[in-house]
């Protein structure tokens, strides 16, 4: 009997110690500037959420790190904003205060002195791309990483996609091709097995990101997300802290 009680105690402790976590990507604007918001949430025992993440201002790629909380009632959300990933003990660059409910986060951004700066609004729903057509062939690189992307899409239907990358000095590469289109709301999704590539409109850009594609890459290679502009030029989705 004692052994059974110990087992039940340990089992229940393990269950309650498991935290519910999730990540959300939202698109919208801060003032007149397009922005992409990524938040990682951990649910607290009181049903509220502890939040951490960042937003990127487009096209300048200015990055701001965030941390804060969302209440269980009405989704009241407050996020401290800073220019470094570790915000504790560092001066804040601002604060986002608003409500996050029904897939929308909207409110006001305040300056470090508490002065009202600008309104913001984000949505978890990205625009549909059923009418999207483009023929893209572009390259993006820095001193260690090079990426080459080409795709043809007509009225939201994939005709072809190839995505390659190479990492220096190892020379390891990734090579994606022959992906099949899958039903997807708020963008386009292409997949082959566990590997998927997602295209989503973010302001004046299309964000292209791969997930679960390690089987198509060398041991240290990867596919970094890209932003494709209206002219078919691409750039690495690599924000700059300013």
């Amino acid at each position: 009997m004692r052994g059974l009680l110990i087992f039940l105690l340990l089992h229940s402790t393990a269950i309650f110690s498991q935290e519910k976590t999730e990540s959300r990507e939202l698109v919208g604007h801060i003032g007149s500037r397009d922005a992409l918001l990524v938040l990682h949430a951990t649910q607290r025992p009181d049903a509220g959420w502890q939040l951490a993440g960042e937003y990127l201002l487009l096209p300048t790629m200015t990055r701001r790190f965030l941390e804060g909380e969302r209440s269980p009632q009405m989704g009241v959300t407050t996020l401290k904003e800073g220019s470094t990933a570790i915000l504790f003990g560092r001066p804040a660059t601002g604060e986002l205060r608003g409500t996050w409910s029904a897939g929308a986060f909207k409110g006001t951004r305040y300056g470090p002195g508490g002065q009202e700066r600008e309104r913001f609004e984000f949505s978890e729903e990205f625009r549909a791309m059923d009418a999207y057509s483009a023929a893209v062939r572009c390259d993006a690189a820095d001193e260690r990483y090079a990426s080459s992307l080409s795709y043809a899409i007509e009225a939201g239907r994939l005709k072809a996609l190839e995505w390659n990358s190479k990492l220096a000095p190892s020379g390891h590469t990734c090579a994606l091709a022959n992906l099949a289109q899958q039903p997807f709301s708020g963008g386009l999704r292409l997949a082959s097995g566990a590997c998927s590539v997602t295209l989503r409109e973010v302001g004046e850009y299309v964000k292209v990101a791969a997930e679960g594609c390690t089987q198509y890459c060398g041991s240290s290679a990867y596919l970094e997300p890209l932003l494709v502009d209206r002219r078919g030029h691409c750039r690495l989705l690599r924000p700059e802290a300013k």
Side-chain angles (χ1 to χ4, degrees), residues 4-235:
L4 177 61
L5 290 175
I6 293 174
F7 170 79
L8 291 175
L9 178 61
L10 293 174
H11 186 64
S12 61
T13 301
I15 291 175
F16 286 110
S17 67
Q18 292 178 355
E19 296 180 325
K20 180 181 179 181
T21 60
E22 56 186 46
S23 296
R24 290 286 185 269
E25 190 173 58
L26 299 90
V27 64
H29 62 86
I30 298 178
S32 60
R33 299 165 295 178
D34 292 327
L36 178 67
L37 173 66
V38 179
L39 289 174
H40 310 287
T42 302
Q43 192 166 35
R44 304 190 305 252
D46 65 356
W49 294 85
Q50 196 69 32
L51 305 174
E54 63 186 35
Y55 70 75
L56 305 178
L57 295 175
L58 305 172
T60 62
M61 302 296 289
T62 301
R63 170 193 249 172
R64 289 291 180 263
F65 296 93
L66 303 166
E67 66 176 19
E69 58 186 14
R70 175 187 180 188
S71 73
Q73 296 85 20
M74 306 299 292
V76 175
T77 302
T78 302
L79 296 171
K80 179 183 176 183
E81 168 194 305
S83 57
T84 62
I86 300 175
L87 301 183
F88 181 76
R90 307 289 178 86
T93 58
E95 190 171 81
L96 304 182
R97 304 177 197 167
T99 57
W100 183 7
S101 62
F105 178 33
K106 59 181 68 175
T108 302
R109 177 178 179 267
Y110 292 84
Q115 66 276 30
E116 184 175 323
R117 287 283 177 86
E118 53 204 342
R119 300 288 296 173
F120 68 83
E121 184 169 350
F122 291 94
S123 174
E124 295 181 41
E125 294 188 8
F126 287 70
R127 289 196 297 264
M129 296 180 66
D130 298 342
Y132 178 69
S133 296
V136 170
R137 184 178 296 273
C138 61
D139 300 294
D142 64 12
E143 63 276 6
R144 296 185 64 247
Y145 177 87
S147 180
S148 176
L149 173 69
S150 66
Y151 63 77
I153 296 173
E154 294 182 8
R157 292 292 179 183
L158 173 70
K159 299 300 180 182
L161 181 142
E162 292 185 4
W163 192 0
N164 300 281
S165 69
K166 185 174 183 179
L167 188 65
S170 68
H172 293 165
T173 62
C174 294
L176 286 186
N178 301 318
L179 277 67
Q181 188 164 354
Q182 294 184 336
F184 186 64
S185 176
L188 303 174
R189 174 162 290 173
L190 323 169
S192 175
C195 172
S196 66
V197 173
T198 303
L199 286 75
R200 281 180 152 174
E201 288 194 354
V202 180
E204 297 299 312
Y205 294 87
V206 171
K207 175 177 174 272
V208 185
E211 184 177 2
C213 299
T214 53
Q215 69 267 38
Y216 297 99
C217 297
S219 60
S220 63
Y222 55 91
L223 289 162
E224 188 162 332
L226 296 171
L227 289 177
V228 180
D229 66 21
R230 301 296 186 188
R231 297 172 296 172
H233 300 155
C234 59
R235 62 186 298 181

